[in-house]
Amino acid sequence: MSESASFVDPAFLARFGLTRINAIDYFLHPLNPFRTKAKTSNEVLGMQGINIGTLMQWGTGARPGPLPLDQGEDEYRVALSRLTGEQYELLPMSNIEGMTPQQMSALFTIRHVHRTSHNHTTVLGIYYVLEGVIYKSPTVRGLMKANIARTLAGLSEACDALSVCARYDPSSGYSWKFDPDEDDDEDNKFYSSIQEKRKRRRRQILDNRRPGERTAEEEEGIRASEAIDRILSRLSKSDVVVKGKPII
């Protein structure tokens, strides 16, 4: 599944809203593509009528209700720790003093774990629920890939901006011209169109292409072809070709 995938159920949000009390129930939505297909401990507790809301209302033998939200969440975590298998944990919030109910309901962090004993769990995934939309936490590889892609995109745009200013003459080689005059309008339009095509092609490669659609050698071939096109365009407009001016 793509790391940019997400899930939202407007019907659930419109009917029940979204709070820390029902965030786990929302994540366990049957259509949520992120939830595991295995039966979770949360569902086992749900069939027993145990969730954060009921624990807040009725409490437990050690803590009779009603209970505040933080104690209800603590009792729910204790109930999960008595079971083994795959579980979803609602991670507690920090620095909640002074936060409004709207701020507390804006972001939830849910951790998918596999519990083998009371004190031993293996993390299988982390998910965020932001304004009712569920996202999977990106992997370290995905973060590095995104950062590298943004860096390369910036460097490529800088090279594109400089390449428009490059001039080539067979007799003298390359030179730079940063202040184009009116005679270069046609030339600038040509390079502007090339630049736009390259940006669109690069954006499609970085953002919309699936892995494996194009190899590194093919990408290098595309860049080499574009470089040759620029050189040929310069040669076709040079005085040697247009006016037959001899090379000195």
Side-chain angles (χ1 to χ4, degrees):
M1 183 181 297
S2 171
E3 293 184 354
S4 60
S6 61
F7 171 78
V8 61
D9 182 15
F12 183 102
L13 298 175
R15 183 176 181 181
F16 303 107
L18 189 61
T19 65
R20 295 188 65 82
I21 297 176
N22 64 355
I24 293 293
D25 296 329
Y26 180 63
F27 189 88
L28 292 174
H29 192 289
L31 299 180
N32 180 13
F34 299 114
R35 61 159 295 172
T36 179
K37 295 181 179 179
K39 191 172 185 178
T40 64
S41 301
N42 308 83
E43 294 170 298
V44 173
L45 292 178
M47 289 187 293
Q48 300 174 9
I50 300 176
N51 55 47
I52 297 176
T54 56
L55 290 172
M56 290 176 59
Q57 183 177 2
W58 303 107
T60 62
R63 285 181 175 179
L67 300 176
L69 176 61
D70 57 343
Q71 294 184 12
E73 291 184 15
D74 290 340
E75 291 298 330
Y76 187 73
R77 281 190 284 271
V78 171
L80 284 176
S81 67
R82 299 192 182 103
L83 302 176
T84 58
E86 295 189 41
Q87 304 176 355
Y88 289 103
E89 301 175 341
L90 180 64
L91 299 186
M93 299 181 63
S94 59
N95 302 324
I96 62 175
E97 295 183 3
M99 295 181 63
T100 64
Q102 292 77 12
Q103 291 173 326
M104 294 179 62
S105 301
L107 176 64
F108 308 101
T109 305
I110 296 177
R111 183 169 59 187
H112 182 199
V113 301
H114 184 269
R115 184 180 296 275
T116 55
S117 66
H118 179 77
N119 296 321
H120 185 269
T121 58
T122 302
V123 178
L124 302 179
I126 297 178
Y127 303 88
Y128 299 105
V129 186
L130 178 62
E131 298 291 349
V133 183
I134 300 175
Y135 303 93
K136 184 177 181 179
S137 175
T139 61
V140 175
R141 177 181 179 275
L143 289 174
M144 292 182 64
K145 182 179 178 182
N147 289 334
I148 291 173
R150 285 194 292 267
T151 302
L152 291 177
L155 291 174
S156 180
E157 289 179 2
C159 292
D160 288 340
L162 290 174
S163 66
V164 176
C165 303
R167 299 292 185 271
Y168 178 78
D169 188 275
S171 60
S172 58
Y174 283 99
S175 62
W176 298 94
K177 189 171 185 180
F178 297 102
D179 297 318
D181 50 32
E182 296 180 357
D183 296 336
D184 290 335
D185 287 343
E186 194 174 311
D187 190 43
N188 290 334
K189 291 179 181 179
F190 173 77
Y191 276 98
S192 296
S193 63
I194 291 180
Q195 187 176 2
E196 288 299 322
K197 289 180 182 178
R198 293 180 65 189
K199 286 183 178 180
R200 286 195 297 268
R201 184 180 299 171
R202 187 177 301 106
R203 188 172 293 111
Q204 182 180 9
I205 291 173
L206 292 176
D207 298 339
N208 301 327
R209 237 191 61 203
R210 296 179 180 178
E213 286 187 356
R214 193 172 288 161
T215 64
E217 291 77 11
E218 291 172 335
E219 297 290 350
E220 183 64 27
I222 291 176
R223 289 191 289 269
S225 177
E226 292 173 346
I228 293 173
D229 290 341
R230 290 197 301 271
I231 294 174
L232 292 177
S233 174
R234 289 295 183 189
L235 289 174
S236 65
K237 296 183 179 182
S238 66
D239 292 338
V240 175
V241 176
V242 177
K243 300 179 181 180
K245 182 179 178 180
I247 299 177
I248 300 174

